[in-house]
Amino acid sequence: MLLKSPYISRIKIKNFRNFIDVDEKLNHKQVIIGENNVGKTNFIKAIQLILDPKLSEDQRFLTDSDFNNTLESPMENGQVIEISIEVQNFEHNHTLLSILSDAVISDGPPTIKLTYRYYPQESERGTDYQYKIFQGDKEEVAFTHFHRKYFNIKVINAIRDVELEMKSINKSPLNKLLSQYDIRKEELEEIADKLKATSEEVLSIDELEHLTSSINSKFTDTIGVKMDSAISLGTIDLDPNRLLNTLKIMLGSQKRPTSNNSLGLNNILYISLILLSLEDKTIPYIIKEDIFNNLLAEEGSEILAECYAQNDKGNFILSEEVSSQDTLTLYQFMEDNNSPNSGFTILAIEEPESHLHPALQRLIFKDVMKQNSSLLMTTHSPYITSVSPLNSMVHLRLSGSGTSIKTTANLSLGDRDTKDLERYIDVKKGEIYFGQGVILVEGVAEEYLIPSFAELLSKPLDKKGIVVCNINSTNFEPFVVFLRALGIPHILITDGDYYFYNEEKEKIFGKMFDDSHELFGNSFDGNERMEKLTTDLNILFAEQISDNHLEQDNLFAENGIFVGKYTLEIDMLEASNGNDKIIFSKVFNELTLGGETQQKNFKVAIDNGKYVEALNKIESSTAKIGKGRFSQGLSTECTVSMIPKYIKNAIEFIYDEVDEL
């Protein structure tokens, strides 16, 4: 529907399991990531304590082990567990407005608050722990099982028997979908009579045809049409009272039962059915003739004629082409006169990647993200995170006082920066999310060489889960903003890109420093970029930044930003000794397509300190090597003495940052 569904906009967790004190904003759809045992399931569990109708009252009583383990003897010392959620985007849902009117804490924007509290209470027997779940700031107004009928959470666990649930009368999502239609008993009796006469009879009432079509559409949207995956319904019971309860989903042209499907395919089918069942049914696809005629007597009923047409079975069917304005008008009319009073369900899916090929992981997530339903999803899959919206991430990370949470719900980036960042994450399969630390670099040379440098310094990056992210540009700002929002330790390494002014006051790049350059002024483009970055992001204030380049370098380094002098390759050559320069020539000779003269010219350029000229030869049309290939070759041959000081400092900095976690 046009109207975005209600969602949890804020969560606060105090003293519960992994979480000591959490207060974070959330978005309509959230992808929850983090290492094993960091608390992703406990994050969902905290919300379940408030919203899950399947939890018994006893299950809402906690134990000593449910308190954060940094608390000493928590129940003996009277510690309290408190979890609260705030909900927005509910104002168009009349049912929630009426049922939870006491939970409203704000009108701008309209916000509902619900709180679970587990606390000590004095009694004749001494101190006992009790829990209460209340609405808004009114502790005397309980949020009960009755309220959960209209506002709740549905959790699809990571380990599940999908086939068994689809067979169960009480748990089957197919049966839940059937219950949303107005199917009359006389229609079922007619079908049963025909089934008795012929086993070829199709289950052809409008509601079942629409349900079959809807399931096919949802399933096909997710997996595509390359496999034999057409969905049909079948039944083996001829009793009209049991006909619907025995409907089974069949797959493919051979009508295979779900027991013959793979685990992955059944997972997708199950999630598709759940998503379908959670769709807003305020506007019905089918209206029975008697109900339609009754609705015509209501004010504003002229919208019905614009949107519905009667078929040969007497039912009124929603048009496939209803304008946005008519849809909104029809929604309000139905909400006022024919509301299903179904309330709202938040969907939580734990690790949907189970048993799925990477391509299907991406497909099912893209399908889920298109739905109007509010969603919480935990995952370890880089294939899912790689296609997740930037503002949908919830990043859980272990800290000294439990698990910390950072979200990107309030992330603010321009369209260009957003596209650049999303493209990088998609291509790199979301690796930036799973690093314990991140090194941002501007080019492929750094991507190849920095891991080798770290090995030489006895600080291997893999050991600490540190990832080198090559952004292929100098536009670091969106990446820094994103990593800061997620709370992931990171550093930035960039070229100094030395330049000087000529007599015409033009900037001249691509030259080594010469004393004559001082006549008209010289500088470093990298420093200027970092000055703008740090002041734009309020990392530093302009008055803190000196005009002296060395002082700038020191200040930037204190804030995790490391700036070279020229480019990495030239800075390496400046740091190198005679034996190192032989290695440069050796790698060049192995890779170049040129002859002995070209190899000799490269060596002469290096020996004479003409490093810019040597670098140009690597990228020349005759050598046909390129910086990337050269750096890859050099990465297996490099030595400690080649490492520029700012690179060494950067690696040590990020190592210390990760160690402090």
Side-chain angles (χ1 to χ4, degrees):
M1 293 304 302
L2 292 175
L3 301 175
K4 187 166 71 171
S5 59
Y7 69 99
I8 297 173
S9 60
R10 183 181 185 184
I11 185 167
K12 298 174 74 173
I13 308 174
K14 184 177 181 181
N15 294 339
F16 179 63
R17 296 188 180 176
N18 299 72
F19 311 105
I20 189 72
D21 192 5
V22 166
D23 183 357
E24 287 295 332
K25 298 289 180 67
L26 299 178
N27 218 324
H28 188 249
K29 289 183 171 60
Q30 297 287 188
V31 180
I32 304 163
I33 59 174
E35 59 192 287
N36 289 328
N37 298 317
V38 75
K40 297 185 293 297
T41 296
N42 289 337
F43 183 83
I44 302 295
K45 183 68 174 180
I47 300 171
Q48 286 182 271
L49 286 171
I50 300 174
L51 294 181
D52 195 340
K54 292 186 178 181
L55 289 186
S56 67
E57 296 305 296
D58 284 344
Q59 287 174 307
R60 288 186 164 86
F61 278 94
L62 304 179
T63 66
D64 194 79
S65 63
D66 289 308
F67 285 82
N68 186 272
N69 59 18
T70 63
L71 302 174
E72 185 176 347
S73 303
M75 297 184 78
E76 294 176 17
N77 292 319
Q79 295 286 356
V80 174
I81 289 175
E82 186 165 292
I83 301 156
S84 67
I85 58 173
E86 294 181 9
V87 180
Q88 294 181 0
N89 257 73
F90 62 89
E91 55 269 27
H92 61 279
N93 190 308
H94 292 184
T95 301
L96 285 186
L97 278 172
S98 60
I99 296 294
L100 296 177
S101 58
D102 287 317
V104 177
I105 60 169
S106 172
D107 293 325
T111 304
I112 285 172
K113 181 180 178 183
L114 301 171
T115 301
Y116 169 96
R117 181 179 295 157
Y118 189 62
Y119 62 98
Q121 187 175 55
E122 295 296 329
S123 68
E124 294 179 355
R125 298 171 297 177
T127 301
D128 290 324
Y129 264 80
Q130 301 291 332
Y131 80 86
K132 64 172 66 174
I133 305 174
F134 56 90
Q135 301 184 38
D137 296 319
K138 304 170 184 176
E139 295 190 27
E140 70 280 6
V141 181
F143 179 79
T144 67
H145 184 71
F146 167 77
H147 299 104
R148 291 186 198 99
K149 292 180 181 178
Y150 301 97
F151 185 50
N152 53 64
I153 188 170
K154 164 71 176 177
V155 179
I156 302 178
N157 296 313
I159 301 174
R160 51 190 176 269
D161 190 336
V162 168
E163 185 187 346
L164 183 63
E165 289 208 17
M166 287 197 286
K167 287 180 178 178
S168 167
I169 290 176
N170 294 325
K171 295 181 179 180
S172 169
L174 177 60
N175 288 342
K176 184 173 182 179
L177 284 165
L178 286 166
S179 70
Q180 296 172 350
Y181 290 94
D182 180 18
I183 300 176
R184 307 289 172 84
K185 185 174 181 180
E186 55 267 24
E187 294 176 287
L188 298 178
E189 290 173 342
E190 183 180 352
I191 289 175
D193 289 341
K194 291 181 178 180
L195 282 170
K196 290 173 185 177
T198 172
S199 60
E200 298 295 321
E201 176 62 39
V202 177
L203 299 172
S204 58
I205 64 173
D206 288 332
E207 287 81 359
L208 294 185
E209 288 184 344
H210 178 252
L211 177 57
T212 304
S213 173
S214 297
I215 295 173
N216 267 296
S217 177
K218 176 67 65 182
F219 195 47
T220 302
D221 280 350
T222 302
I223 67 171
V225 295
K226 292 184 179 180
M227 61 179 70
D228 182 18
S229 59
I231 298 293
S232 57
L233 298 178
T235 184
I236 59 172
D237 204 312
L238 305 184
D239 185 338
N241 295 312
R242 296 195 300 268
L243 189 63
L244 293 182
N245 286 341
T246 60
L247 282 175
K248 305 298 178 187
I249 290 180
M250 317 298 282
L251 193 69
S253 58
Q254 300 300 313
K255 299 188 183 301
R256 304 187 308 275
T258 54
S259 58
N260 290 353
N261 295 335
S262 69
L263 290 173
L265 205 57
N266 277 343
N267 264 334
I268 295 177
L269 177 57
Y270 180 80
I271 292 173
S272 296
L273 292 172
I274 294 295
L275 287 169
L276 197 57
S277 72
L278 295 182
E279 286 183 358
D280 193 329
K281 300 299 191 300
T282 301
I283 297 179
Y285 180 78
I286 302 167
I287 305 178
K288 296 295 187 185
E289 184 175 17
D290 57 338
I291 293 177
F292 190 88
N293 290 334
N294 290 336
L295 288 172
L296 288 176
E298 303 295 340
E299 183 179 352
S301 63
E302 56 274 7
I303 189 63
L304 296 175
E306 297 292 329
C307 301
Y308 287 89
Q310 193 170 26
N311 68 3
D312 55 5
K313 298 175 185 177
N315 294 323
F316 286 84
I317 310 299
L318 183 66
S319 170
E320 298 293 339
E321 298 180 0
V322 180
S323 70
S324 297
Q325 183 56 50
D326 282 348
T327 299
L328 187 58
T329 303
L330 181 61
Y331 188 97
Q332 295 301 331
F333 175 82
M334 289 297 182
E335 179 78 0
D336 292 337
N337 300 290
N338 193 45
S339 174
N341 293 322
S342 56
F344 180 72
T345 298
I346 290 172
L347 178 61
I349 307 176
E350 292 193 272
E351 300 176 17
E353 62 267 23
S354 301
H355 313 296
L356 291 183
H357 182 276
L360 287 180
Q361 291 179 31
R362 292 162 69 95
L363 284 171
I364 192 170
F365 182 73
K366 286 180 178 179
D367 182 61
V368 167
M369 295 305 284
K370 289 188 296 185
Q371 306 307 310
N372 190 40
S373 302
S374 177
L375 173 72
L376 299 165
M377 178 188 290
T378 68
T379 185
H380 289 286
S381 169
Y383 303 101
I384 287 177
T385 56
S386 70
V387 293
S388 303
L390 295 181
N391 63 355
S392 71
M393 307 308 299
V394 177
H395 187 247
L396 275 58
R397 193 178 192 92
L398 290 173
S399 65
S401 59
T403 295
S404 65
I405 299 179
K406 295 289 185 180
T407 77
T408 57
N410 291 332
L411 189 69
S412 179
L413 292 172
D415 289 343
R416 180 74 266 158
D417 286 345
T418 298
K419 289 177 181 177
D420 284 348
L421 190 49
E422 286 180 337
R423 187 180 300 110
Y424 171 84
I425 290 172
D426 193 3
V427 169
K428 293 293 185 177
K429 300 295 178 284
E431 66 178 20
I432 197 170
Y433 294 121
F434 298 100
Q436 293 296 302
V438 173
I439 301 175
L440 295 172
V441 299
E442 65 179 71
V444 68
E446 291 87 348
E447 186 176 11
Y448 282 127
L449 288 164
I450 287 175
S452 296
F453 292 161
E455 293 283 344
L456 291 169
L457 294 170
S458 298
K459 295 185 181 295
L461 302 184
D462 286 343
K463 183 178 179 181
K464 296 293 182 180
I466 298 170
V467 177
V468 177
C469 289
N470 166 24
I471 70 169
N472 281 310
S473 76
T474 58
N475 183 27
F476 289 102
E477 183 166 327
F479 293 85
V480 173
V481 170
F482 192 56
L483 290 167
R484 292 178 78 192
L486 289 173
I488 298 176
H490 58 280
I491 61 169
L492 187 162
I493 297 175
T494 189
D495 293 339
D497 292 326
Y498 169 78
Y499 71 86
F500 67 96
Y501 291 95
N502 62 14
E503 295 182 18
E504 289 74 32
K505 302 293 183 177
E506 297 171 324
K507 284 184 178 181
I508 305 299
F509 288 91
K511 300 289 185 182
M512 302 286 289
F513 172 76
D514 185 277
D515 288 340
S516 64
H517 298 169
E518 296 284 7
L519 295 174
F520 304 103
N522 57 354
S523 192
F524 296 89
D525 195 58
N527 289 61
E528 293 168 5
R529 293 194 304 269
M530 294 306 102
E531 181 174 359
K532 183 178 187 305
L533 173 75
T534 53
T535 53
D536 283 352
L537 299 183
N538 295 319
I539 297 172
L540 296 171
F541 297 108
E543 54 268 24
Q544 292 178 266
I545 302 174
S546 167
D547 291 334
N548 182 279
H549 298 137
L550 292 178
E551 292 179 5
Q552 287 178 9
D553 288 345
N554 292 333
L555 179 62
F556 292 149
E558 290 171 7
N559 289 276
I561 297 171
F562 299 86
V563 188
K565 184 176 181 182
Y566 299 104
T567 64
L568 174 59
E569 297 87 350
I570 294 175
D571 292 339
M572 287 177 66
L573 283 165
E574 281 211 319
S576 295
N577 58 37
N579 289 331
D580 297 331
K581 292 173 181 176
I582 293 173
I583 294 173
F584 271 87
S585 293
K586 173 178 176 289
V587 172
F588 181 87
N589 294 345
E590 290 173 350
L591 297 176
T592 183
L593 296 180
E596 291 183 4
T597 301
Q598 189 181 72
Q599 295 174 11
K600 179 181 178 182
N601 290 340
F602 181 82
K603 183 179 184 303
V604 168
I606 287 181
D607 291 343
N608 291 333
K610 296 180 179 180
Y611 303 140
V612 173
E613 182 180 322
L615 187 61
N616 290 338
K617 293 183 185 299
I618 291 171
E619 299 202 271
S620 70
S621 58
T622 52
K624 292 184 178 180
I625 301 174
K627 290 176 64 174
R629 191 173 175 221
F630 185 84
S631 299
Q632 185 179 23
L634 188 61
S635 66
T636 62
E637 306 276 353
C638 56
T639 65
V640 171
S641 53
M642 287 183 187
I643 305 173
K645 185 177 180 182
Y646 72 97
I647 300 288
K648 178 177 180 293
N649 292 341
I651 293 170
E652 291 173 348
F653 187 97
I654 190 63
Y655 233 73
D656 290 343
E657 287 284 293
V658 172
D659 274 342
E660 289 176 7
L661 294 176

